[in-house]
Amino acid sequence: MKGALFLVAAIAVAALLLPPFLPWGYADIDWNAVRAAPFSSGHWLGTDSVGRDLLARTLAGTRVTLAVASAAALVALLIGTAWGAIAGWFGGRVDEAMMRVVDGLYALPFMFVVIVLMVVFGRSILLVFLGIGAVEWLTMARVVRGQVLALRHRPFILASEAAGAPTGAILRGHLLPNVAPVAIAYLMLTIPQVVMVESFLSFLGLGVQEPLTSLGILVHDGADDMDIAPLTLLVPGAVLVALVVALNRIGEGLRQRLAR
Amino acid sequence: MRAILLRRLATAIPTLFAVVLASFFLMRAAPGSPFDAERPLDAATRAALDHAYGLDRPLLEQLGRYLANLAQGDFGPSLVYKDFTVTALIAQGLPISLMLGGLALAVALMTGVSGGIAGALRPGGWSDRAVDFAASLAVALPGFVTGPVLALIFALWLNWLPVAGLNGPASLILPVIALALPVAGAVAKLTRTGLSETLAQDHVRTARARGLSPFAVLWRHALAPALIPVVSYLAPAAAGLLTGAVVIETVFGLPGLGRYFVQGALNRDYPLVMGVVILYAGLILFFNLIADLLYGLLDPRARG
Amino acid sequence: MTIYAVERLSLRIGDAAILHDIGFEVRRGACTALVGASGSGKSMSCFAPFGLAAGKASGSARLDGAELIGLDEPALRPLRARAGFAFQQPATALSPHLTIGRQLREAVVAGGAPSPDRRALAAMLDRVGIARPDARLDSWPHRLSGGERQRVMIAAAVAHDPILLVADEPTSALDAPLRHAILDLIDRLRQDGMAVLLVSHDLPLVALHADQVAVLQAGRVVESGAARQILSRPLTAETRALVAASPSLDTPGPALPPTGAPLLAAQGIDVTVAGRGWRAPQVTLVEDASFTIAEGEALALAGRSGSGKSTLARAVARLGPMTDGELRWRGEIVPGRDRMAAGFRKAVQPVFQDPVASLDPHWTVAASIAEPLRHLCPELDAAARAARVDALLEEVELGRGFADRRPAELSGGQAQRVAIARALAAGPELILLDEATSALDVLVAGRILSLLQRLQADRNLAILMITHDLAVARSLCHRLAVMEAGKIVEQGPFDRMLSTPGHPATRHLLGT
């Protein structure tokens, strides 16, 4: 887990801080170096089919992917926690009705809903993360609901009521601190999920639009050009996979630590 | 058992209906017309087109007609692939997608379950760590990365397999692997966790106390309860395979349903997109049903 | 003739020595019992020689002359099949996805016999007293009651006519009447010459059925000999503690403190809740229950699980739903759960069954104990609260050193003491004990019980005790109320209820 944390931190720091120090911006076109090889004409990783610096583009794409993923995961956290907490705390029929809705949504082909939304409302970055967040909250809602439901009937909550604690104090003092770690662990597991979804959409041309770029777009462009410049596929692909593996490790590590 | 199936159907049918309604109104609410994509049309031609496809009728009438046709398996005409009905396009693409998805699911289940067993039998051993590493990597390998990379290595560099198109079984190898990898990783992880939990349970000790061989203990007593999480994952896995197939078909140029869907989405071919979404929703609901049946088979307690 | 002999058995798990020089033997047709508190190593002593426990065993264990220690797994397997094992918790020790018939058949075949026909399988169930044995063959374990599952567990253990039956706590998951029935069943099996090795924490109970007893403590045999002799003249403190910890209804009850004026009166309490599912009918959990408790008086509310005793007690303590009825505290009507005043909260405090779940894992011991003080005694400042917490920790025999610990750093008994200290913090007049000792190890439960006896006398506490164990209840309670299916079917002075039980539910609890 330490290695994973270090990797994610390194990728994030590089994506955020490094670009100003590079000789080329991510949209700058170097007409003299189309499909340049690595370490030629000042392009460390070479250039793509129109002469844009691959390193600069990969860092810019990573930044967009991470930003979209964090925002969408936060949307999922907010909706999921609120939905799950209300269902779990009130229980009974409220719970049953709310969870039926979640079950129903689970049965939908997620990605297609997002794609349909993109097609219908046009392609905007706001819609990308709203759309993703709105479908990724389901698992969060289930997890939080399960946790709240289990806590709700724990004797220490009852003992707190017997100790005269008002409902607000029980929620703040007992419920929230016990739900938060689990929600955060699942937030960490949601982020890589969202990274994949965003890249998937961008790959299909339905996500982030030019001149912005993201890892999915880069993989797509690289795939078109892989016979001549394989690095344009391999570099963004490797960054994406490394990011998702490391984020998954962190999330799983957190969850296991909680289970103990 | 029958009660579970009935209850599942009782949620499945309204869900499917809601999908139809939601996608219908979403599509109609969309700004722009499917005919915008081409050259600007003069008003008369446009009105004629709208009339020909029934787009000038009141919304409810359009819905009513759509539902009536749907009940007869008719998804309407495609707006982009002129001269084709959506049903014909689906009939063309579905077998390819189903073959791709079915093969990928089979490969994923076989490698995933055997990998998970290999890991759980010697916790902490080298096989366990190797499986864990491979599975962690596999779940993070989206088809749109592995697809092109596999094509690059095995088709372009090594020249072993065809790079794209559908000619013979060899052309399915790379797409199936790319599609199966993330699912296989998830199945391996679920099997590994489920089995190591089950092996520590009391009833496994009872079986060992009877003097059974390790194989009999694993096969008869441990595996069924250990696979319950895998079965619960079956429906999400099916959904993942369907979505993954969209990309894989695009990457490998396979004329499956997913490619029609992407083309339809990019071209605002509403009837086509709606048809595919409804079909996919139906498929996923069907997989939920299968998962419930298997669940009852593995755990009699779930039969109520 | 000796069937199974264990000598100088030791067990190490990693660097930790778990068992030291254990020795006992089981003769043909006889029963030897290993008795001890949890963690004393009694189960390990049974399973380690057969390779069914973790760790490395040394010493000697001979089954019908064949040495078990030092054999590898393939060599142990046929020897395991010569014995039969009945594990505790039959709910988890039978495979959930296989029918009873399949598991029985497997046990027979694994023992080396040809596959039995259906009649033979049904006869095996019949032998352990299962009704309608033929129909039960196609049933799954979860469809059976706890007692039936234990019988099936034993039937599977003896299906291949082993020379030795090893039974690990076969009665601990069962209530009193079933315990005797299961032990009688094991006695019957012995008549055909089977040797029995029995593991239990309940010394008085097993001593009635075993020939030889070995008492274990911390991985050593501290006392062994003829069962009757050990029970009547225990030599070591450990044995005496075990005898005392499983109180029996046959001995006279303790002297209890005197009682005073009426404190709590519950009249016609009903609790109904919505059924599961959308149109499920309402479920009645408690119906028309009435009782009173006086100052310093202890009332036991007994019944089998699901009889509604916990629901009733929580309704009365205003910690659960109450649909109808009237509750008076010193003659005044107590308001509903959502309009509770600090006065009543202060007067009635609960202690729950699961000590670990009773404490918020994030809170220190001191914060948990101070919680009622913060809300119910606002006149106290932080320093006064801290002083109170220290005094309470002393009172429950933990000491102030525990103040900064968190629940994960406490044993079950310690956590229950903290929960008791929290219940006492605001100075209640009545405490609700909801199965407060039944989740604890036998010796720990005994010590918690004597702490409660002392507090009852020192503080003149009134007690409402929910329990399924009448012997435990009698060491605290003046009166007994028996519940069945949501109703109080009989109540009266404890000794009168014991000597002349009126209702069948009472007689069931007494095991008669």
Side-chain angles (χ1 to χ4, degrees), chain C residues 69-82:
Chain C
I69 306 291
L71 295 185
D72 59 1
E73 176 77 16
L76 271 175
R77 249 182 274 139
L79 288 167
R80 272 183 209 149
R82 298 200 64 192

Side-chain angles (χ1 to χ4, degrees), chain B residues 193-238:
Chain B
T193 316
L195 193 56
S196 56
E197 272 169 19
T198 311
L199 284 175
Q201 274 167 8
D202 287 355
H203 73 263
V204 169
R205 184 178 58 176
T206 307
R208 289 181 56 216
R210 278 183 199 142
L212 297 179
S213 71
F215 178 78
V217 171
L218 177 74
W219 189 248
R220 275 208 293 268
H221 292 269
L223 207 52
L227 288 182
I228 288 173
V230 176
V231 168
S232 324
Y233 172 69
L234 215 53

